[in-house]
Structures are given as structure tokens and as C-alpha cells.
Amino acid sequence: MHKIALITGASSGIGKATAEILAKNGYNVIISARRLERLIEIQKQLEEKYKVEVLPLKLDVRDRDAVEDYLSNLPDGWKEIDVLVNNAGLSKGLEKLQDGKIDNWEVMIDTNIKGLLYITRAILPSMIKRNSGTIVNISSIAGHETYPGGNVYCATKSAVLHLSKALRMDLVGTNIRVVSIDPGMVETEFSIVRFDGDKERAAKVYEGITPLTAEDVAEAVWFAISRPPHVTVEDMVLMPTQQASVLLTVKNYKKF
Ligand code: NDP
Ligand code: 8X3
């Protein structure tokens, strides 16, 4: 019997690559995000390539009622989720806090913190009942450090680190594992979203440096999931070799 994984934010980047590595390893996957047309395309590709079942789920993680409704009414055969990857997340803007756009703060906090909580709360009771499961939260190096203009985004990713730690404590005595994967710079649609669709500005972020790929991160996620049940990878920081902190990269190290 195939195991089941739910990946949020699977329409792009790290989430899409994670859905692929799980499908490749025999998981039936629920791929969720807001852009359903992309999910349907990914469904076709994964089903054909890996002969597993893929369920596309149009879901905005900020919509508490929809999260509760969808996840408590999953179709037969999809109800018992073995692996949850809380990946949906984003950064909006790079303004200093004093110039910050409050609407952007709301979107980041609602998606990166509250969305992750809604999803986790909806999935956990079934994992606890079965006394098994793995939850992988995608945090960031930005959860460990901060940088000018990173303020609210970094705070949300720091919250993800603390929620992972707290959840491990709340689940002691169960067999449920909670993992945090914290990447440095990964070339995805992240910067395009951060800069409101400005592809030129986004491309500059990755010029002159070899960033991580979404697949690099997906492999780290799979490493954690595929450890034997008695092993929890609590927190893995994964950096490009050319980046030694959020601020220090091969592009600017000579200034220091
Ligand atoms: P992408 O922009 O490529 O992917 C983000 C995904 O999140 C998309 O599938 C998007 O789907 C989904 N998403 C965004 N908002 C919502 C929402 N409200 N409800 C449901 N899904 C949503 O970026 P990445 O792959 O880089 O980002 C994935 C995660 O990795 C994020 O949590 C990010 O913070 C983290 N991260 C990224 C790093 C990087 O440098 N790229 C580094 C460290 C961490 P859709 O728009 O279709 O809803
Ligand atoms: C994304 C990494 O450094 O752009 O989480 O904030 S960074």
C-alpha cells in the first residue's frame, strides 16, 4: 500500500520538487496551492512518470474554514496522511520596518505562521490516533538570522523554527516526528513574488552566485523523511557553498 503525503505550496519551487521526490519514492501525494491549473499539470506529469496517485487540492492556507473543511472531508483512501510538508510560504517586499507595507505583513504572517498552524492542527489528530507520521516544516536561514528589510519575513520564519521545537515537545511520547529544514538562497519564484512580479529585479538576486535548487532542498526533505522511525532530523540548515550567512555571499565578502 502506498503511503500518503500532503505538500502545501506544491505549484512551484521547493513544494513542487518535494512532491516529485515523494512520488518517485512511491508516495501518493496530495498537492495543494492556490493555482489549480498548475497543480493539474503537475498531477499529470507525476502520475505518468511514477505511476502513483496524485490529488490536486486548490487551497489557500490562510482560509481557516476551507482548510478545516477540506482536510476533514478528504476522499476515501486519502484520509490517513503519513507525511505533511508545510512548505507554502512567501515574502512580500523588502522595505525597512519603518517604511513597511502593513498589507504585506498581514499576508506573510497569515500564510507563513497562521496557515502552517491551521494545516498542522487539522492533520495532527489523525496522526496522533495512528501514533505515526512525519511533519516537515520549511523554515529558512532567515529564521536564524535577519537582514535589513527582512524584518517581518524573518520573524515569520523564526516563528516556524519555534513552532517546530514546541511541537516536538508537545508530541513527546508519540512516534510523530517534527522536522525543520532551513535553506539559504534557493532559486525559485520566491524573489519574483517578493518583488511583486518584477522578474528582472528577482533575477539579480541570483546573479554571480550559485544558489541552491528546489531539488537540493527536496533531497534534504527526503533524507529526513526516510530516516528510520527512531531518528528525527530536528533542524537542518542547508546553504549554498557561496553563502555563509543571510548577508555574506561570494558577491560581497571582499567588503568585510
Ligand atoms: P515559490 O514562490 O516558488 O513557491 C511558493 C509556493 O507557496 C507556491 O506553490 C505557492 O502557490 C504557495 N503559496 C503561497 N501562498 C500560499 C497560500 N496562501 N496558500 C497556499 N499556497 C500558497 O517559493 P519557494 O519554493 O522558494 O518557497 C517555498 C518555501 O520555502 C516558503 O515557505 C519559503 O519561505 C521557503 N524558503 C525559500 C527560500 C528561497 O530562497 N527561495 C529559502 C528558504 C526558505 P500558489 O501561489 O499557487 O498558491
Ligand atoms: C529565503 C532566504 O535570505 O532571501 O527564506 O530571506 S532569504
Side-chain angles (χ1 to χ4, degrees):
M1 212 174 82
H2 293 278
K3 288 190 168 182
I4 298 170
L6 165 62
I7 302 112
T8 66
S11 61
S12 166
I14 295 168
K16 181 178 171 202
T18 300
E20 171 143 16
I21 207 164
L22 284 162
K24 188 175 163 190
N25 283 285
Y27 277 71
N28 287 341
V29 288
I30 304 173
I31 49 175
S32 86
R34 293 165 300 176
R35 287 170 292 181
L36 183 62
E37 66 293 351
R38 281 197 182 204
L39 296 175
I40 291 170
E41 200 45 50
I42 295 166
Q43 174 192 22
K44 281 189 210 142
Q45 289 166 10
L46 296 185
E47 284 185 342
E48 197 176 310
K49 203 162 165 193
Y50 300 112
K51 311 296 172 213
V52 294
E53 286 181 50
V54 179
L55 179 66
L57 185 61
K58 180 178 164 63
L59 185 59
D60 185 330
V61 296
R62 294 171 297 175
D63 185 339
R64 179 177 161 184
D65 290 340
V67 168
E68 283 170 7
D69 187 41
Y70 282 126
L71 297 184
S72 57
N73 291 297
L74 284 166
D76 286 345
W78 292 97
K79 292 185 195 302
E80 300 199 334
I81 291 168
D82 298 289
V83 168
L84 164 63
V85 182
N86 275 316
N87 163 78
L90 77 181
S91 169
K92 291 296 266 177
L94 193 58
E95 289 81 22
K96 291 190 175 156
L97 197 130
Q98 56 271 34
D99 306 318
K101 297 193 174 110
I102 294 177
D103 284 347
N104 284 345
W105 299 354
E106 306 275 11
V107 173
M108 290 187 275
I109 291 167
D110 288 351
T111 310
N112 302 357
I113 305 179
K114 290 167 72 181
L116 177 144
L117 282 168
Y118 297 157
I119 298 274
T120 306
R121 180 67 181 83
I123 298 296
L124 261 176
S126 158
M127 285 187 173
I128 290 171
K129 206 161 150 196
R130 286 173 285 134
N131 196 23
S132 95
T134 302
I135 297 175
V136 180
N137 292 330
I138 306 297
S139 178
S140 170
I141 187 62
H144 294 266
E145 305 171 24
T146 189
Y147 50 91
N151 43 67
V152 173
Y153 176 69
C154 296
T156 65
K157 288 296 166 178
S158 182
V160 173
L161 285 180
H162 282 274
L163 287 170
S164 300
K165 183 81 188 163
L167 188 53
R168 274 190 291 276
M169 292 183 166
D170 289 344
L171 290 169
V172 166
T174 75
N175 291 330
I176 300 164
R177 306 182 297 181
V178 181
V179 174
S180 181
I181 304 288
D182 320 332
M185 200 182 279
V186 192
E187 188 163 5
T188 60
E189 293 176 19
F190 178 84
S191 293
I192 299 174
V193 172
R194 165 169 259 176
F195 299 132
D196 259 336
D198 184 341
K199 289 190 178 162
E200 232 171 87
R201 188 172 176 203
K204 286 206 174 78
V205 174
Y206 310 106
E207 261 171 30
I209 179 167
T210 306
L212 298 171
T213 64
E215 289 71 26
D216 294 328
V217 181
E219 283 182 11
V221 172
W222 175 246
F223 174 80
I225 293 168
S226 59
R227 292 312 84 208
H230 69 287
V231 177
T232 293
V233 176
E234 281 205 352
D235 194 10
M236 190 194 295
V237 177
L238 194 72
M239 296 293 279
T241 306
Q242 294 184 334
Q243 182 184 20
S245 84
V246 274
L247 282 174
L248 182 68
T249 72
V250 71
K251 292 201 270 189
N252 63 12
Y253 75 102
K254 288 190 177 146
K255 288 189 196 155
F256 291 90

